[in-house]
Amino acid sequence: MVVANIEVSETPLMLYALRRADDALILGHRLSEWCGHAPMLEEDMALSNIALDLIGQARELYSYAARAEGGDNDEDKLAYLRDVRQYRNLLLVEQPNGDFAQTLVRQFFYSAFADLYWRAMMSSRDATLAAIAAKSEKESAYHLRHASEWLIRLGDGTDESHARAQAAIDHLWAFTGEMFAVDDGERALIHAGIAVDPGPLRGRWLQTLSDVAREATLILPQNDWMQQGGRTGRHSEHLGHLLSELQSMQRTFPGLTW
Amino acid sequence: MYTQALNTAEADDRGLEDAAKAAQFQARIDAEERIEPNDWMPGAYRKTLTRQISQHAHSEIVGMLPEGNWITRAPTLRRKAALLAKVQDECGHGLYLYAAAETLGSSREELVDAMLAGKAKYSSIFNYPTLTWADIGTIGWLVDGAAIMNQIPLCRCSYGPYARAMIRVCKEESFHQRQGYEIMLTLCRGSDEQKAMAQDALNRWWWPVLMMFGPPDATSQHSDTSTKWKIKRFSNDELRQKFVDATVPQAQYLGLTIPDPGMTQDADGHWRYSEIDWTEFKQVLAGNGPCNRDRMAARRKAHAEGAWVREAAAAYAAKRAQRQTAQAAE
C-alpha cells in the first residue's frame, strides 16, 4: 500500500521551524532506540528523558511550522508523511547510535550548540519561537551537562573508553559544520530579528568543546572539511531506514486515528 | 509493574532463631507494624522478600522490552512520547525495587547477575510478543491492570521499603492502565481494521494475563507463610477473580469479546472463567515461551555491551577520588 507524501509549502518561516523540529525529532528518535538496551538502568532513564524533551520540542515546532504554513498539515502529517528528501534535519542527528561513545559525542556536539542557539532565540521577535526557546534552553542545558560529564568519564576512564570516545569524535566531527550554515531565506529572518544567526555562536561552541575535551584528555580534529546537505534534503543513507520504521504505521494504515 | 505469584516463601526457620526474637517479630507483624531494614527479622523472611522484590524488579526491566519494541513505531508523536515515558517509568520502578531489595543485604549487581544467569525469575507475561500496536493498548489495560490488582495489597506489605515503593509504583501503574484502556477505546471506535486489531490482541493476551496471578490455590505451596508474615494478603485465585470481575465490564464497554466462550456470571455477580491451561504456564516458566530466549538475549547483550562503559565510569571515579585525596594531602 502506498500513502502519498504530503506537500509542504516551505515559506522561510515554515522551513525555519521545520528544520529545528526535524533535528529534535530525529535525535529524539535515535535516543529512544536505547530504551531498554542502555549500559546501565540510570542511562535507560537519562537517555529516555532527553529523548522525551526532544520529542516535546519537535511537537511544538511542528505545530508552529504547520500554523506558519497555514494549510492542512499538522505535527503528525509533518512527521509521518514526508519522505527522506523532504526532511530538513542536520546530518549529525540522523547518524546511527553506534556505541555509547558515539551516541554521547553526537549528543555533546548537538547540545553544546543547541544550548547556545535556544538561549539566543529567547530574544526572538516571534513570541512563540521565544517561548519554545525558553523551554528548550532549560532542557538543553541539562542535556549538555549530561553529555559533558559522560565524555569526561569516557575520555579519562579506561584505555578502551578513551579510544572509543576519540574515535566517535573523529567520526562525527565532519557533521558539525552544518549547524552554523545559513541560507538566504534564513538570512532574511535573521535580519528581521526572528531567527538566530548561528555564525557568531561558533566561537563559544568551540570553547565548550575545547574545555570538555581537555578535561576528558581527548583531541578535537583539525580538519575543517564539513559535510552538508541535511538542510536541503540530501541526507545520509541512514535516514531512510529510520523513517521507514518511524512512519510504518501511518504508511500502512492511512488516515486513521490512533 | 508486574509481580507474579511465583514467589513461594522460604520454609519457616524460626526454630533455628532466637525464639523470643521470633515471637516479638511475629507480634509486630500481627499488630500491623512495618518491619524496617535494621530491624531483626527471621532469615527466611529476608530470603523470601529478597527473592520476591528482586523478581519484581527483574520483571520491570524485562518488561521494558515488549513495549520498547513499539517506541520507534508508535503511530503518532503523542503516542510515541507517552509510550516512551511509560517504559521509562518501568525502568524507574525497577530501580526503586532493586534499591528496596538492597536494603535486605544483596547488591543490585548480584541480583542482576542471578537474572542474567537464568537463576532468577521474572514475570512470565513478558515472554509473549507484541505484534501490533493494539498489543501496547492491551498491555496497559490488562497487564498493568493485573499488576495493580497484585500490587495494591503489597502497599500494606509488612516490609516497609517494599510497601512504600509499591505506593508510588501503583500510582504510576494506574495511570498506565488508563492510558492503555484509552488506546483500546480509540481502536474500538476506529475502523473495522482497528477493531479487529484490538480483538486479536485481547485474544492473544487474555489467558497469559490470567496466568500472571500464579498457580491455582489448590496447588500453591507455602503461601501460608507469606500470609502469616503479611507479605501476601490475598490468594492467587482471589486476586484473579477480582481482576476478571473488574475486566469483563470494561471489555463489554469496548465492544470486545473475552476469548472464553464458557464464561458465565454466577448468582453473586462473579464472572466464572474456564479452566486455565497450566501446561502453557509451566512451559513458559520453564523457558519455552515464545520470547524467553529473545528477552534474555536482549538483556545479556545490553549488559555485555555496556560493560566497558561501566568500567570507564568506575575507573574515572577511582582516579578522581585519588586526585582529591592527593589534593587534600598537599
Side-chain angles (χ1 to χ4, degrees), chain B residues 25 38 83 87 96 111 120 127 131 139 141 162 164 196 207 216 231 243 253 265 269 302 307 313 321 328:
Chain B
F25 174 82
N38 294 328
L83 180 59
V87 179
Y96 296 156
L111 299 170
N127 291 315
L131 302 181
I139 288 180
W141 171 35
Y162 193 28
R164 288 188 290 273
W207 292 105
I231 296 171
F243 172 78
Y253 185 77
Q265 195 171 23

Side-chain angles (χ1 to χ4, degrees), chain A residues 17-196:
Chain A
L18 189 64
R19 284 171 170 165
R20 272 80 218 164
D22 286 348
D23 287 347
L25 176 64
I26 298 302
L27 187 54
H29 182 96
R30 279 290 186 224
L31 291 174
S32 79
E33 293 171 358
W34 274 104
C35 186
H37 308 279
M40 57 188 81
L41 298 180
E42 286 78 357
E43 286 310 302
D44 279 298
M45 301 283 287
L47 296 176
S48 300
N49 225 10
I50 297 169
L52 279 167
D53 285 345
L54 291 167
I55 293 167
Q57 292 172 11
R59 294 183 64 190
E60 291 181 33
L61 287 160
Y62 281 133
S63 296
Y64 180 84
R67 285 200 302 278
E69 190 187 12
D72 293 333
N73 290 330
D74 57 25
E75 60 171 42
D76 286 327
K77 284 185 184 162
L78 288 172
Y80 289 91
L81 296 175
R82 280 179 305 141
D83 201 357
V84 174
R85 300 282 286 114
Q86 296 173 292
Y87 257 79
R88 298 289 178 248
N89 58 279
L90 299 165
L91 299 173
L92 175 69
V93 297
E94 72 198 37
Q95 297 309 306
N97 286 339
D99 63 9
F100 189 70
Q102 193 166 318
T103 293
L104 263 297
V105 168
R106 185 184 64 199
Q107 194 63 41
F108 175 63
F109 287 166
Y110 177 78
S111 299
F113 170 76
D115 190 43
L116 295 168
Y117 195 86
W118 296 127
R119 207 177 309 156
M121 203 200 271
M122 285 162 66
S123 334
S124 169
R125 284 199 192 146
D126 182 301
T128 308
L129 289 178
I132 293 173
K135 179 170 165 285
S136 305
E137 193 278 328
K138 286 193 195 80
E139 293 166 348
S140 62
Y142 159 71
H143 304 169
L144 175 59
R145 199 170 71 232
H146 172 264
S148 304
E149 287 171 0
W150 265 112
L151 204 56
I152 292 166
R153 273 185 213 116
L154 296 182
D156 194 17
T158 61
D159 289 346
E160 181 179 6
S161 68
H162 179 90
R164 285 176 184 262
Q166 188 62 56
I169 288 176
D170 297 345
H171 176 63
L172 293 169
W173 184 250
F175 298 110
T176 57
E178 212 179 14
M179 297 191 285
F180 302 97
V182 165
D183 63 11
D184 290 343
E186 237 169 90
R187 183 65 60 199
L189 290 172
I190 291 167
H191 286 313
I194 291 167
V196 173

Side-chain angles (χ1 to χ4, degrees), chain B residues 58-272:
Chain B
H58 303 327
S59 301
E60 298 284 357
I61 301 306
V62 176
M64 294 170 72
L65 298 171
E67 290 179 285
N69 183 37
W70 279 89
I71 291 172
T72 54
R73 290 180 291 164
T76 67
L77 294 182
R78 182 172 81 92
R79 293 295 188 200
K80 189 182 190 68
L83 180 59
L84 180 54
K86 180 187 190 243
V87 179
Q88 189 195 29
D89 282 349
E90 314 301 359
C91 185
H93 299 170
L95 274 171
Y96 296 156
L97 286 160
Y98 283 125
E102 284 187 318
T103 65
L104 291 159
S106 306
S107 70
R108 195 214 293 187
E109 289 70 27
E110 287 171 62
L111 299 170
V112 168
D113 285 349
M115 193 259 286
L116 295 176
K119 290 179 197 153
K121 289 191 168 65
Y122 58 86
S123 182
S124 59
I125 195 73
F126 302 117
N127 291 315
Y128 291 87
T130 51
L131 302 181
T132 71
W133 174 250
D135 291 37
I136 298 305
T138 306
I139 288 180
W141 171 35
L142 297 182
V143 176
D144 291 316
I148 292 167
M149 224 34 115
N150 262 331
Q151 288 169 197
I152 292 278
L154 287 171
C155 297
R156 293 187 294 131
C157 161
S158 60
Y159 189 57
Y162 193 28
R164 288 188 290 273
M166 280 304 102
I167 291 170
R168 186 157 170 188
V169 167
C170 281
K171 280 185 188 150
E172 293 183 352
E173 292 302 353
S174 101
F175 178 72
H176 297 165
Q177 202 253 352
R178 284 200 299 274
Q179 197 170 274
Y181 192 71
E182 198 259 324
I183 290 176
M184 296 307 277
L185 202 54
T186 307
L187 293 175
C188 292
R189 287 175 178 169
S191 70
D192 290 346
E193 214 170 8
Q194 285 173 304
K195 273 178 231 164
M197 194 188 275
Q199 182 65 53
D200 170 62
L202 175 60
N203 293 348
R204 284 181 287 111
W205 288 92
W206 175 254
W207 292 105
V209 165
L210 292 194
M211 295 174 199
M212 282 177 70
F213 295 91
D217 295 351
T219 62
S220 178
Q221 298 163 3
H222 299 305
S223 62
D224 49 336
T225 321
S226 272
T227 305
K228 190 180 67 190
W229 282 336
K230 300 201 174 165
I231 296 171
K232 194 169 175 58
R233 290 181 183 260
F234 296 97
S235 76
N236 296 351
D237 285 336
E238 282 169 341
L239 290 168
R240 189 166 14 243
Q241 188 60 55
K242 268 189 177 192
F243 172 78
V244 171
D245 289 342
T247 304
V248 170
Q250 293 169 358
Q252 288 171 339
Y253 185 77
L254 290 172
L256 295 178
T257 307
I258 302 240
D260 179 1
M263 185 180 262
T264 51
Q265 195 171 23
D266 70 13
D268 299 325
H270 293 299
W271 289 94
R272 299 297 174 193

